[in-house]
Amino acid sequence: MTETTSTIVPAYLGCLDVPLTIHKRRWRSVFVTIYCSRAFQSFFPSVSDNNGFKLDQKTLTQLVKDKRLDRLQELGGFEGVASALKTDAAHGVCSNAEDVAHRLEAFGSNTYKIAAAKRFFHFVWEACQDLTIFILIGCAALSLALGIREHGLREGWSDGGSIFLAVILVISVSAISNYRQYREFDKLSKVGSNLQIEAVRNGKSQQISTFDIVVGDVICLKIGDQVPADGLLLEGYSLEVDESSMTGESDHVEINQSQNPFLFSGTKVVNGYAQMLVTSVGMNTTWGEMMSQISSDTSEQTPLQARIRGLASSIGIVGLLVALSNLIVSKIYYFTGNTKDKHGKKEFNGSRTKVNHIIMAMIGMVGTAVTIVVAAIPEGLPVAMTITFCYAMKRMMADKAMVRKLSACEIMGSATTICTDKTGTLTMNQMKVAKFWIGEKPVEEAYSSISSRLLSLIQEGVAMNTTGCASRHISGSGFEFSGSPTEKAILSWASLELNMDMERLKNNSVIQDVEAFNSHRKRSGILIKRKIDNTMQVHWKGAAEVILAMCTSYHNASGELKDMDDDAKKILEHIIQGMAASSLRCIALAHKEVSAEEQVDPEHKTLLKDNGLTLLGLVGLKDPCRPGLKKAVEDCQHAGVNIKMITGDNIFTAKSIATECGILKPEQDTISEAVIEGEQFQNYTPEERMQKVDNIRVMARSSPSDKLLMVQCLKQKGHVVAVTGDGTNDAPALKEADVGLSMGMQGTEVAKESSDIVIMDDNFASVATVLMWGRCVYNNIQKFIQFQLTVNVAALVINFVAAVSASKVPLTAVQLLWVNLIMDTLGALALATDKPTKELMENPPVSRTEPLITNIMWRNLLPQALYQIAVVLTLRFRGNTIFGVDDKVQDTLIFNTFVLCQVFNEFNARKLEKKNVFKGLLTNKIFLGIIALIIILQLVMVELLNKYADTERLNWGQWGVCLGIGAISWPLGWVVKCLPVPQKPIVSYLEVKIYKNSS
């Protein structure tokens, strides 16, 4: 590099070889100095300061990305990198705003540039792809052409132009609804990605947002965490990560300081715990590069939406067939001389009829067919679906449930079984030490009576064998505790009651090896070396019966060491069962002093001694049930949903909690195998599992694989299964379930990503609320389908009968579009905003195979449709005589009566089965406001927009008659709901008949 520089500089100086003044010499000296400094900087970029830091971002990124151990050593190892980033590995960075801002400026923020969001016009284009829109556009074009041909441009554009306007309105409403839904999902995803993680700043552990992480931060990782940035392992034990999101390989990768200390953003911790030094954040990480190329797709179509769109298309096709039939019949009538003009003469007289008259007659027939098609197409159905889901998502978020997958809303309404965790879901997850036993005697308040040696061992075991932390508050008064609820409860008890000094105990020992707690082994262990005498100590902590099986001796209340014979073991087992029966979680502490040789296997790997231990004590943790839990469980059971508790606690604790919250009834306790253990369930044959799975109410000492097996068995038996989970190992069960419900507060990121809905407050009552919302969504959509089909059936039959019998339709295309679009869009909003009621929990779950249009809906809609058909056709053929009005006013009466029938029928649609349709009406102000708006808009249509709506003004008496006819829908609806309906769907009768005929 030096030679290159020396050849470059003289080349530039050669051109300056002329007589120079002193000023010119100084100028040349400055030029050479600047050039040389820039040349040297270009060869040594890594040693130049980066806003005061000794390492630049490129060096840090390549260090981790390429896993360069040699480069790490060149930079001074972990201490060298930490020093270059102005970080204390033990105390972390300073948390003052100035230092954080300086790091943000130098290395960027921990946020990602996402792909461009979909714009509004994307949803406009999507809305235009609908089949019904194509049909309407075709109808509008035909109507426009026919109108101009018949009446000229000035008068003839109104019908076709109005249909085009209606099409634009349909597209706009649909696009706006879908765009709002997209924005809502985007907002929810941002909430979901704003995670909290534990960081060490100013020597204190604290929770910070992942968005606030900066380069140089020291981050604490535990099982289930998602690594929030790229970095290096500072210290950790048994650390394994799942890098499948980065590499696609499912094998877990071991992370250690000697061979592989590199951690990547987006990977998941599956075992162990650690502290990492952040070296890259945001777009400078490998995960950031991947995320920038991914756009989240929120255009998911749920099964119900697919069925609705299929229904709308089918109705549209029926309308086309009816319109085609009408066109054929009309032509036959016309060409056979069966149609007459307004003077009573035949319209077609063979060769004497002018071609122009024939063309005009054909145009009229096509116009009538277009009107029938418009009457048939249910434009409001897709819009109603979008509005319903959008409203439900927003309301569920307010009720502490964040929807990650739209289909989960509707599937939850069909749930027949909920498999729930205990801790944090049924209980408050606020652990507190309620009992402590040493040997065979309980220790109440007098902890000072414990022998000093035994007390020291207990303090050492609690302080060292934990993933939590106990530190004095910055003010000096009181303690701050971090970790899981169980860890915090034990640390709090040891610090406050046993006077444990955690910092001193940690400084007195060196950790040699760790076995992190996991849900399979239900224990954690640690091997430490005391600095004072270099002795090796093993401490174990875990489920009482698991630790007890590892012990051969125990300390009595006086601190004396005693052998654990069979009698002593039975007494201790009885104590554990007694605590469990009192709804206490029982944790055991055990210890052994070992020689260094005992801890190394033939392959020179460190092993934790897990036999021949001495029991130090039994700790009973109380976790109270959540308020209102029993009522929520009863509501679910009353709604035909089975609740099964799946927990890692022992069988006595599980049975006690299940009985307390109502999952297990006193009489069920005696039923064989209503309460089982996970191992017992695993040992069943597949046939035995299928036979007994329905009767199981509680599964204790279960592992995640037991939960997965339970879900699979239930699904095979035809159940729709919802599962709650919070741990990393719950991910398979959450994915396998029909609806996965993760916990927002205690749940790991792996669990949340595997779930469909996140319960933000970890409360089972919120799970019951989600169940109610799922049923509400389905129920609201059924209400609207009933309302919409009543309109479509009535309008289709009215126009077809009138067209065939009188060659003229009573409802114009514009009027029908007004009814179908404006009323039904507003009607969808009115019916979609009905909130969940307790009545929904009185019915059994909706079967997935149940028809979308039930017998109850057919019973409700057909009489209303027949009533409207009878009224409108009576007005059509006898209106002039009855009211003594001309044709124009008669057509307006028909239109106004038809619309008001829909307004009154919308009240009937509020309740599919209940006769009292006004119950809870005053609490739904949106519904009342929309009804008032529809009536006002109808007034405008009839009284002001006469030219475009083809109407005449009505007097007060005529308005009263229209209102009276519409109001008859209420008593008719009450009478109809008294009629019984068969349980077997009507469609099934048709299928049987078709099958018999085909066979």
Side-chain angles (χ1 to χ4, degrees), residues 786 843 850 853-863 912-915 973-989:
Q786 177 185 296
N843 301 320
E850 185 174 315
I853 308 172
T854 62
N855 290 356
I856 290 170
M857 293 166 68
W858 283 118
R859 178 200 65 186
N860 294 343
L861 75 86
L862 287 176
L912 294 177
E913 296 184 64
K914 300 292 181 181
K915 295 172 186 174
W974 190 90
V975 171
V976 164
K977 286 175 183 175
C978 294
L979 300 175
V981 292
Q983 294 294 323
K984 194 173 181 181
I986 293 172
V987 179
S988 63
Y989 290 105

Side-chain angles (χ1 to χ4, degrees), residues 317-550:
I317 291 167
V318 170
L320 281 170
L321 292 174
V322 172
L324 184 62
S325 303
N326 175 75
L327 189 60
I328 293 168
V329 171
S330 298
K331 284 183 178 181
I332 293 171
Y333 271 39
Y334 178 79
F335 288 110
T336 55
N338 289 317
T339 57
K340 296 179 181 180
D341 61 17
K342 59 184 178 181
H343 303 294
K345 296 180 181 180
K346 288 184 179 181
E347 287 186 310
F348 182 74
N349 293 302
S351 58
R352 288 176 292 174
T353 306
K354 294 180 181 179
V355 176
N356 188 49
H357 288 173
I358 295 174
I359 292 172
M360 293 306 295
M362 292 298 103
I363 287 172
M365 292 176 199
V366 173
T368 301
V370 166
T371 304
I372 290 172
V373 173
V374 170
I377 296 173
E379 300 87 357
L381 273 180
V383 176
M385 284 291 298
T386 306
I387 291 172
T388 303
F389 276 116
C390 226
Y391 178 78
M393 275 176 53
K394 200 166 185 179
R395 294 298 306 175
M396 286 172 76
M397 189 64 183
D399 287 340
K400 308 296 183 185
M402 186 178 79
V403 179
R404 298 183 71 252
K405 195 174 180 182
L406 203 56
S407 59
C409 286
E410 66 185 65
I411 296 172
M412 196 65 191
S414 301
T416 58
T417 303
I418 299 175
C419 298
T420 178
D421 290 331
K422 177 187 78 71
T423 305
T425 308
L426 300 177
T427 61
M428 296 180 69
N429 212 7
Q430 295 176 359
M431 300 282 190
K432 185 178 180 181
V433 174
K435 285 188 178 181
F436 179 56
W437 289 69
I438 294 179
E440 301 163 3
K441 289 189 179 180
V443 180
E444 304 294 342
E445 299 286 328
Y447 291 107
S448 57
S449 63
I450 303 172
S451 70
S452 58
R453 182 176 180 278
L454 179 57
L455 184 63
S456 297
L457 286 172
I458 293 170
Q459 290 175 339
E460 184 180 66
V462 171
M464 301 304 295
N465 187 17
T466 181
T467 55
C469 183
S471 56
R472 288 202 172 273
H473 196 272
I474 196 166
S475 62
S477 60
F479 288 87
E480 289 181 348
F481 303 103
S482 63
S484 69
T486 303
E487 296 284 9
K488 287 195 286 187
I490 295 175
L491 288 172
S492 172
W493 165 73
S495 299
L496 300 175
E497 302 294 340
L498 306 184
N499 298 317
M500 177 187 74
D501 186 343
M502 189 170 185
E503 189 174 351
R504 178 182 62 80
L505 288 167
K506 280 187 171 293
N507 290 334
N508 288 345
S509 302
V510 179
I511 297 173
Q512 302 295 305
D513 195 21
V514 171
E515 182 180 304
F517 179 86
N518 64 57
S519 53
H520 289 286
R521 295 181 177 177
K522 301 187 185 303
R523 66 182 192 180
S524 65
I526 190 167
L527 172 66
I528 60 173
K529 184 178 181 180
R530 290 178 184 164
K531 293 179 180 177
I532 192 169
D533 55 10
N534 290 328
T535 57
M536 306 285 278
Q537 312 290 329
V538 174
H539 284 278
W540 286 95
K541 177 178 70 180
E545 61 269 31
V546 174
I547 300 299
L548 188 64
M550 298 158 57

Side-chain angles (χ1 to χ4, degrees), residues 915-935:
K915 295 172 186 174
N916 183 6
V917 297
F918 305 108
K919 186 178 180 181
L921 183 62
L922 296 177
T923 60
N924 193 343
K925 294 178 181 177
I926 297 176
F927 181 90
L928 294 173
I930 288 171
I931 293 295
L933 179 61
I934 290 173
I935 293 172

Side-chain angles (χ1 to χ4, degrees), residues 37-281:
S37 65
R38 287 181 177 176
F40 277 108
Q41 282 183 6
S42 67
F43 289 119
F44 303 101
S46 61
V47 297
S48 61
D49 277 0
N50 177 39
N51 285 325
F53 297 100
K54 294 180 180 178
L55 289 173
D56 62 5
Q57 185 60 68
K58 184 178 179 182
T59 303
L60 292 167
T61 301
Q62 293 300 323
L63 172 67
V64 176
K65 186 177 181 180
D66 298 339
K67 296 187 176 183
R68 294 186 58 184
L69 276 171
D70 56 338
R71 182 63 173 145
L72 178 62
Q73 296 306 316
E74 289 174 13
L75 295 172
F78 305 103
E79 295 80 7
V81 174
S83 175
L85 295 176
K86 298 182 179 179
T87 297
D88 187 311
H91 295 85
V93 301
C94 296
S95 58
N96 62 67
E98 185 180 348
D99 183 52
V100 172
H102 188 48
R103 292 174 186 276
L104 287 171
E105 183 184 352
F107 302 105
S109 64
N110 198 31
T111 53
Y112 306 119
K113 291 179 184 176
I114 59 172
K118 294 177 183 176
R119 297 184 178 275
F120 175 71
F121 292 107
H122 171 85
F123 297 95
V124 172
W125 177 249
E126 263 189 0
C128 293
Q129 310 303 306
D130 200 295
L131 176 63
T132 56
I133 296 297
F134 286 125
I135 296 172
L136 282 173
I137 289 172
C139 291
L142 267 174
S143 182
L144 188 64
L146 297 177
I148 293 172
R149 174 72 180 80
E150 188 173 353
H151 303 290
L153 181 60
R154 188 167 184 178
E155 297 291 333
W157 70 270
S158 59
D159 276 5
S162 299
I163 298 175
F164 268 121
L165 184 63
V167 169
I168 292 169
L169 197 54
V170 169
I171 292 169
S172 300
V173 170
S174 181
I176 290 168
S177 300
N178 287 325
Y179 181 62
R180 285 190 64 185
Q181 180 181 306
Y182 172 78
R183 292 286 300 274
E184 196 70 31
F185 257 121
D186 193 45
K187 195 186 297 181
L188 290 177
S189 66
K190 286 177 181 175
V191 171
S193 59
N194 186 14
L195 312 172
Q196 296 294 308
I197 196 140
E198 188 179 346
V200 178
R201 288 184 174 181
N202 294 331
K204 301 287 183 183
S205 293
Q206 53 188 279
Q207 293 287 323
I208 64 170
S209 166
T210 51
F211 294 151
D212 296 334
I213 292 173
V214 293
V215 170
D217 259 324
V218 175
I219 302 297
C220 302
L221 299 173
K222 59 183 183 299
I223 294 176
D225 282 344
Q226 179 172 300
V227 180
D230 286 0
L232 301 170
L233 175 68
L234 287 176
E235 63 174 9
Y237 303 95
S238 309
L239 187 65
E240 292 181 5
V241 297
D242 177 5
E243 293 187 353
S244 59
S245 58
M246 305 288 293
T247 64
E249 297 293 332
S250 58
D251 292 338
H252 298 161
V253 178
E254 184 180 347
I255 306 296
N256 53 58
Q257 285 192 321
S258 59
Q259 296 175 327
N260 181 24
F262 306 104
L263 288 158
F264 294 96
S265 176
T267 57
K268 319 281 192 316
V269 179
V270 293
N271 195 25
Y273 59 91
Q275 285 190 343
M276 68 172 285
L277 174 67
V278 175
T279 57
S280 299
V281 294

